[in-house]
Amino acid sequence: MKDNFAAPVIEAKNLQLVFQTGDGPVQALKDVNLVINKGDFVSFIGPSGCGKTTFLRAIAALEHPTGGTLTVNGMTPDQARQARAYGYVFQAAGLYPWRTIAKNISLPLEIMGFSKEEQAARVERVLGLVELSGFGNKYPWQLSGGMQQRASIARALAFDADILLMDEPFGALDEIVRDRLNEEVLKLWNRTGKTIGFVTHSIPEAVYLSTKIVVMSPRPGRITDVIDSPLPRERPLEIRDSREFIEIAHRVREGLRAGHSDE
Amino acid sequence: MNRILPILTVVLIIVALWYAAAVRLNSAWVYDQAARAGTPEPGFSELLGLTMNQDRPVLPTPHQVVAELEKTTLGLPVTSKKSLVYHGWVTISATLLGFVMGTGLGILLAVGIIFNKAMDQSVMPWAIASQTIPILAIAPMIIVVLNSVGVTGLIPKAIISAFLSFFPVLVGMVKGLRSPDAMQLDLLRTYSASNGQTLRLLRLPSSVPYLFTSLKVGIAASLVGAIVGEMPTGAVAGLGARLLSGSYYGQTVQIWAALFAAALVAAGLVTLIGYIERVTLKRMGLAR
């Protein structure tokens, strides 16, 4: 990572988020402090209920914090959304069955008012980025689950946001497809220099992808450990057998266990 | 063939039961005639012949209805006031106009309910209340009120038709417009999409399967509305008018022919919508 380019892209200070439910208030996030720099690949890992998805949604202004401050590119999350600061990838591809892959990818462009030519050019470019060139005229049902998820990543990339937020994007896919997509996401990150926030509950996935691993624990949702990965930017799949990789994975596992022990 | 055989069997059973019922119900008139003429009561084989082709039977036989249908459709020019094609078209035109009006109203109300909290809480109870009013009671009043302001002919019938058909469309569309899940809606929020864009790009396309289900119910309701609307109009034209004039003059064969014509029209309209549904859903990738 080139430190001279590093600038805080996402900054959370004492962030609190309380949901009011029928059973009383639930503290989804408590005292979350985190700085994400430009070009970071940050994974959020933890058991369900630890607030990892809630934090990602707060960055995207899909949830609103009840205390503390959260800035995205120096703006509030709402302003950042207006400024098209991020693309969001959900667990399901959520492609519209009545639109071709190309038309699905141009959906955000259409909403944001890009010209027809601009839309076509951008769709072509991001299809190339996710290695789906030539599939633009297919319908979603003609593609495998992995390809559909790649198309949904292309959709999030289409409008050139410099932040990519991914909420367990490969959680519903099998291990083999997942490995392949992990490699591709890394390649994508290397080529585009985006800042990526990635929610997962797979330790190998988090260690393999990230420059920074945020370990979280539930009740109340909070950060228990932040690990800066010493792994190089270029990561072949074999790196997962290296000693460094196993050491980081061990530390993540320890962090997860520590978070659980104080229940 | 495997599908046709059971259907044919049921049809044959119905026809047989129908003939049996016709003999039984029409025999009273035969015995009555015999008693008046002082002749002995006819035997069974004689009775069969005397109940099959009466002029004003209590229950016309199937072949009488078919003959009447044939005579009044193929046997007459369509411009004739006795042609069922002419009367059928009068009813169909009111049905289609009412169907379009009702569908439009149903969709508009559904969109209003989705986007407006006040409408969400107020429209549905009124819509349900409107459907609890017997249409036979309210149809003459709609005709009379509209007539007094100078609206006559097709429009009042279409309004009664729309009154019946808007409801299934409203219910189906509210469900359809609400069918996209939270993730789909969140995705559009991340693009800062407006309500109008969400409606056009996600909610309306998602509601199409629900719309078609409602349209099939709606078109049948429209036809009922149009026929009911023709009854108090002074019975000039339309299948409803044929039913009414048939009952005035004791022309049971004419009533049954009009009933069958109405059933055939209903079946045709529902089949047509079913066909459009299949083609549309397939093209939208929503076929189930």
Side-chain angles (χ1 to χ4, degrees):
Chain A
M1 213 183 0
K2 295 170 197 148
D3 274 331
N4 51 333
F5 282 115
V9 170
I10 296 164
E11 200 169 6
K13 277 188 201 143
N14 286 322
L15 197 70
Q16 320 282 336
L17 201 151
V18 179
F19 287 120
Q20 298 299 335
T21 69
D23 299 335
V26 170
Q27 183 119 34
L29 292 174
K30 186 180 187 314
D31 299 330
V32 170
N33 290 289
L34 187 71
V35 174
I36 297 177
N37 291 318
K38 186 159 174 48
D40 275 355
F41 196 128
V42 182
S43 284
F44 300 90
I45 188 164
S48 34
C50 71
K52 55 192 192 299
T53 294
T54 306
F55 185 54
L56 206 70
R57 288 173 61 86
I59 297 170
L62 292 172
E63 306 289 354
H64 290 90
T66 46
T69 57
L70 177 63
T71 58
V72 178
N73 285 342
M75 297 174 272
T76 68
D78 281 302
Q79 290 166 338
R81 172 155 86 204
Q82 292 297 332
R84 297 169 199 165
Y86 67 87
Y88 203 105
V89 179
F90 291 86
Q91 180 161 14
L95 302 170
Y96 292 176
W98 56 87
R99 285 177 165 237
T100 61
I101 296 302
K103 291 290 281 175
N104 264 293
I105 293 171
S106 65
L107 177 74
L109 306 175
E110 215 177 302
I111 290 169
M112 293 167 185
F114 286 83
S115 72
K116 284 265 180 254
E117 302 75 49
E118 181 75 16
Q119 286 184 26
R122 279 166 178 262
V123 167
E124 220 29 66
R125 186 168 57 79
V126 292
L127 274 174
L129 274 178
V130 298
E131 293 175 15
L132 278 180
S133 298
F135 286 93
N137 289 326
K138 299 269 189 231
Y139 280 88
W141 57 268
Q142 294 172 299
L143 268 59
S144 68
M147 288 163 101
Q148 289 188 21
Q149 196 53 286
R150 292 213 306 254
S152 93
I153 294 171
R155 183 178 58 189
L157 293 171
F159 47 96
D160 278 335
D162 30 309
I163 304 170
L164 189 57
L165 301 174
M166 305 173 93
D167 184 3
E168 295 189 38
F170 311 134
L173 303 172
D174 68 61
E175 191 98 20
I176 301 161
V177 178
R178 196 180 184 141
D179 276 354
R180 179 121 190 262
L181 289 180
N182 280 342
E183 264 189 293
E184 281 184 15
V185 166
L186 270 187
K187 259 198 274 172
L188 192 80
W189 172 64
N190 261 325
R191 258 184 291 174
T192 57
K194 305 236 184 246
T195 308
I196 299 185
F198 192 97
V199 167
T200 179
H201 45 223
S202 154
I203 295 174
E205 189 170 67
V207 178
Y208 177 61
L209 293 174
S210 320
T211 58
K212 196 192 278 261
I213 301 157
V214 178
V215 183
M216 299 180 76
S217 73
R219 286 176 293 275
R222 65 199 184 281
I223 294 177
T224 49
D225 196 6
V226 178
I227 304 163
D228 285 304
S229 172
L231 296 178
R233 243 187 120 95
E234 290 291 333
R235 300 175 182 185
L237 267 179
E238 301 78 63
I239 205 169
R240 294 190 293 185
D241 301 322
S242 71
R243 221 189 62 211
E244 271 173 318
F245 188 98
I246 292 163
E247 273 169 8
I248 305 164
H250 181 74
R251 190 172 154 194
V252 172
R253 194 168 289 114
E254 288 297 307
L256 289 172
R257 195 172 299 156
H260 259 280
S261 65
D262 52 26
E263 267 179 40
Chain B
M1 199 61 208
N2 281 341
R3 284 184 52 197
I4 290 173
L5 205 62
I7 295 173
L8 274 182
T9 314
V10 172
V11 168
L12 276 177
I13 291 171
I14 291 174
V15 169
L17 285 174
W18 187 349
Y19 271 113
V23 172
R24 176 86 176 77
L25 292 170
N26 298 338
S27 62
W29 183 81
V30 175
Y31 292 139
D32 198 35
Q33 290 294 102
R36 281 188 207 182
T39 50
E41 284 199 354
F44 184 70
S45 55
E46 216 175 331
L47 185 66
L48 273 186
L50 289 168
T51 52
M52 288 291 114
N53 292 298
Q54 293 177 358
D55 268 349
R56 292 178 181 187
V58 176
L59 179 65
T61 52
H63 68 262
Q64 278 181 295
V65 175
V66 170
E68 170 78 7
L69 271 174
E70 200 184 331
K71 192 182 91 191
T72 50
T73 51
L74 304 174
L76 288 167
V78 294
T79 48
S80 160
K81 290 277 185 278
K82 283 185 173 173
S83 165
L84 264 187
V85 177
Y86 163 75
H87 289 287
W89 172 245
V90 169
T91 302
I92 289 172
S93 55
T95 301
L96 291 180
L97 181 61
F99 176 66
V100 169
M101 286 162 52
T103 302
L105 179 66
I107 292 175
L108 278 181
L109 285 176
V111 170
I113 283 175
I114 295 295
F115 285 120
N116 186 308
K117 239 196 156 69
M119 278 186 78
D120 184 15
Q121 284 166 3
S122 61
V123 171
M124 209 44 116
W126 285 101
I128 293 168
S130 77
Q131 301 303 299
T132 62
I133 303 169
I135 190 67
L136 277 172
I138 203 169
M141 306 214 272
I142 293 176
I143 305 267
V144 167
V145 167
L146 287 176
N147 193 40
S148 75
V149 295
V151 181
T152 55
L154 189 64
I155 302 291
K157 289 195 285 179
I159 286 174
I160 294 166
S161 199
F163 182 85
L164 286 186
S165 63
F166 91 93
F167 186 68
V169 175
L170 170 63
V171 174
M173 280 303 281
V174 168
K175 200 166 157 52
L177 292 172
R178 289 203 168 128
S179 66
D181 59 25
M183 196 204 81
Q184 297 273 23
L185 294 169
D186 278 346
L187 179 68
L188 288 183
R189 277 173 69 196
T190 69
Y191 305 146
S192 307
S194 67
N195 276 346
Q197 286 170 327
T198 307
L199 177 71
R200 182 168 57 84
L201 297 169
L202 176 62
R203 289 187 190 272
L204 281 176
S206 305
S207 70
V208 169
Y210 297 84
L211 175 65
F212 273 110
T213 308
S214 296
L215 289 184
K216 281 194 261 186
V217 181
I219 192 111
S222 280
L223 183 66
V224 170
I227 291 174
V228 169
E230 282 160 357
M231 292 185 156
T233 50
V236 269
L239 293 176
R242 287 298 279 179
L243 288 172
L244 201 63
S245 73
S247 78
Y248 278 160
Y249 304 114
Q251 296 292 339
T252 46
V253 181
Q254 180 189 325
I255 295 177
W256 280 84
L259 280 178
F260 269 81
L264 288 174
V265 168
L269 291 173
V270 172
T271 308
L272 181 68
I273 291 191
Y275 174 74
I276 299 171
E277 175 184 30
R278 269 204 311 284
V279 173
T280 309
L281 293 191
K282 205 171 165 204
R283 283 197 56 170
M284 287 181 73
L286 292 169
R288 281 174 292 181

